[in-house]
Amino acid sequence: MNDPNVMSLPLIASTALLNNNAVMLVTGGAKRIGAAIIKMAHASGYRVIIHCHHSEQDATLLANTLNQIHKNSAAIVTADLAVVNDATSLTHFVQTIMSVFGQLDVLVHNASRFYPSPLGHIDLGQWDELFLTNAKAPLLLSQALLPYLQAQQGCIISLLDIHAHDKPFKRYTVYNMAKAAHRMMVQSLALDMAPTIRVNGVAPGVNILPEAASDQALDDRQQQSIIDSIPMQRIGTPTDIAHCVLYLAQAHYVTGEIINVDGGRSLTLAGGSF
């Protein structure tokens, strides 16, 4: 396994200028919802660490853009989240994270794999990959970063799914199970990490559509059917999720909560499909 590394960015020389600013790490922070969280946190005064795996180009562009706004305020770390499977590599990854700004105040678990696992075709590879990103890595990374979050009386925020609780996607059994485990992790860690660390979750509905070129792409009819099922009568945005994450980062008497950000769709959704 390759050891993770911090990308070469002008970080250290002037960090003293920002030492009073809290630090947020977002896994899968290079694109889509993760990037929206990074941008909003940065605009709110956070120094940000963008984790990525395959999206180094997007992450580098985002970090460079943010560093032009506030010098030495953004960095990236690159790692396959399978790093949690090896104790030595995980220790090195944590050391890499902590070497960037010397502290960590907010850990956001955003990285996630999402694809169907139809009954009769479920295999161990799907199980391992979907549980790694949606349950195993969030737990083991939270544990590994616990001392540093405790030092800052920080918080953990997990990106979940409205389908992870009583309303599963049809044909997505492994994903549903993994997200449900992540949901229970939030509630369990809220007890185990109290009172120094708060742990909360954000459960999106349809806040971003699958990429048009992906095998999960939705046609116009499917998109309109989704819109018709949402009381707010529109698809959500990554910014809607980012607003909730920033709220929870500052909500100092809130822990163990999971907030649906879904335009009211969970009120009418029976489960089974998008």
Side-chain angles (χ1 to χ4, degrees), residues 1-2 4 27 51 79-94 97 109 128 131-145:
M1 182 182 300
N2 292 331
T27 66
H51 161 264
D80 184 338
L81 288 180
V83 69
V84 302
N85 290 325
D86 179 81
T88 300
S89 295
L90 178 56
T91 297
H92 184 271
F93 184 39
V94 168
I97 291 167
H109 294 301
D128 289 342
F131 264 84
L132 171 69
T133 58
N134 290 298
K136 186 177 185 179
L139 174 61
L140 295 181
L141 191 55
S142 296
Q143 176 176 263
L145 289 167

Side-chain angles (χ1 to χ4, degrees), residues 205-209 223-241 243 261-266:
V206 185
N207 291 78
I208 193 164
L209 293 174
Q223 292 184 33
Q224 188 57 52
S225 177
I226 290 171
I227 291 170
D228 291 342
S229 74
I230 300 171
M232 294 295 290
Q233 290 291 286
R234 65 176 178 86
I235 302 294
T237 68
T239 300
D240 295 322
I241 301 301
H243 276 298
V261 181
D262 64 355
R265 190 167 190 244
S266 57

